[in-house]
Amino acid sequence: MDNETLQAWVEQVSRDSFGRPFLHQATFNRRLRSTGGRYFMRSHDIEINPKQLETFGREETEKIIKHELCHYHLHLTKRGYRHQDADFQRLLAEVGGSRYCSALPGQTKRVQPYRYKLVCRSCGMEYLRKRKVNPAKYACGKCRGKLFIKMLDFVLEP
């Protein structure tokens, strides 16, 4: 499927499900990884992940299109267009859009390994951290002793 076909499909879904026209651009974006689609508030354009269409078919992709069109129509009518807004949740349920897209195969959540260890000088209590922190700002939660940082030679998985 190409971008012109997607554009016609989005326009048709907008007319059929929302009763309003879609007047902006809808395109495929292969670089999307963790999402099925996205709506741009400044340009009002919509991007769809073509891998969702290839993997899960037209029905799931149409639910993603409805999700993005909910953002689109609510934003243009100056109503609650964010995920947590009641207007968005109500409209999404009415049109049958999906709240979340299905995870693509091979797309696992990236786990950040622990790289740093804070060690208490008094009692030896250890705290694992993914990011480097300033130990002078913190104290041991067990004995209130001073901490020092030790970078791990190996990577610990959480």
Side-chain angles (χ1 to χ4, degrees):
M1 183 180 283
D2 60 349
N3 284 332
E4 291 81 25
T5 313
L6 175 67
Q7 179 73 29
W9 187 16
V10 171
E11 289 172 1
Q12 179 211 351
V13 170
S14 181
R15 279 191 309 273
D16 295 347
S17 298
F18 296 87
R20 312 185 100 205
F22 177 71
L23 304 172
H24 294 84
Q25 289 294 312
T27 56
F28 282 117
N29 184 351
R30 279 202 167 276
R31 293 182 312 251
L32 295 177
R33 289 189 175 276
S34 62
T35 184
R38 62 181 171 183
Y39 165 67
F40 294 96
M41 290 190 301
R42 289 189 180 184
S43 65
H44 307 296
D45 293 340
I46 290 176
E47 288 184 345
I48 301 295
N49 187 344
K51 296 172 204 156
Q52 290 284 333
L53 178 62
E54 294 163 7
T55 308
F56 300 109
R58 287 182 66 90
E59 190 175 319
E60 284 298 314
T61 307
E62 186 164 320
K63 290 179 182 178
I64 294 168
I65 291 171
K66 287 178 180 178
H67 177 105
E68 300 309 325
L69 284 171
C70 285
H71 288 300
Y72 173 81
H73 289 297
L74 290 170
H75 183 246
L76 290 178
T77 56
K78 295 179 176 30
R79 290 169 42 210
Y81 59 89
R82 296 177 307 170
H83 290 128
Q84 67 262 31
D85 293 332
D87 288 336
F88 179 83
Q89 292 174 4
R90 196 175 312 113
L91 183 60
L92 190 64
E94 281 176 23
V95 298
S98 63
R99 181 83 162 100
Y100 303 102
C101 68
S102 303
L104 292 166
Q107 183 185 36
T108 58
K109 187 176 179 182
R110 279 190 236 152
V111 178
Q112 284 188 327
Y114 293 117
R115 294 175 54 198
Y116 302 96
K117 186 191 299 186
L118 294 173
V119 182
C120 176
R121 292 187 189 277
S122 306
C123 68
M125 181 74 180
E126 297 178 348
Y127 302 92
L128 294 174
R129 293 290 175 257
K130 294 178 183 181
R131 294 183 183 171
K132 191 172 185 176
V133 295
N134 181 1
K137 290 184 175 181
Y138 302 96
C140 177
K142 188 175 176 185
C143 71
R144 308 301 299 158
K146 291 191 177 216
L147 301 174
F148 70 94
I149 196 162
K150 180 178 179 183
M151 190 162 167
L152 298 172
D153 297 335
F154 54 93
V155 173
L156 286 176
E157 294 295 326

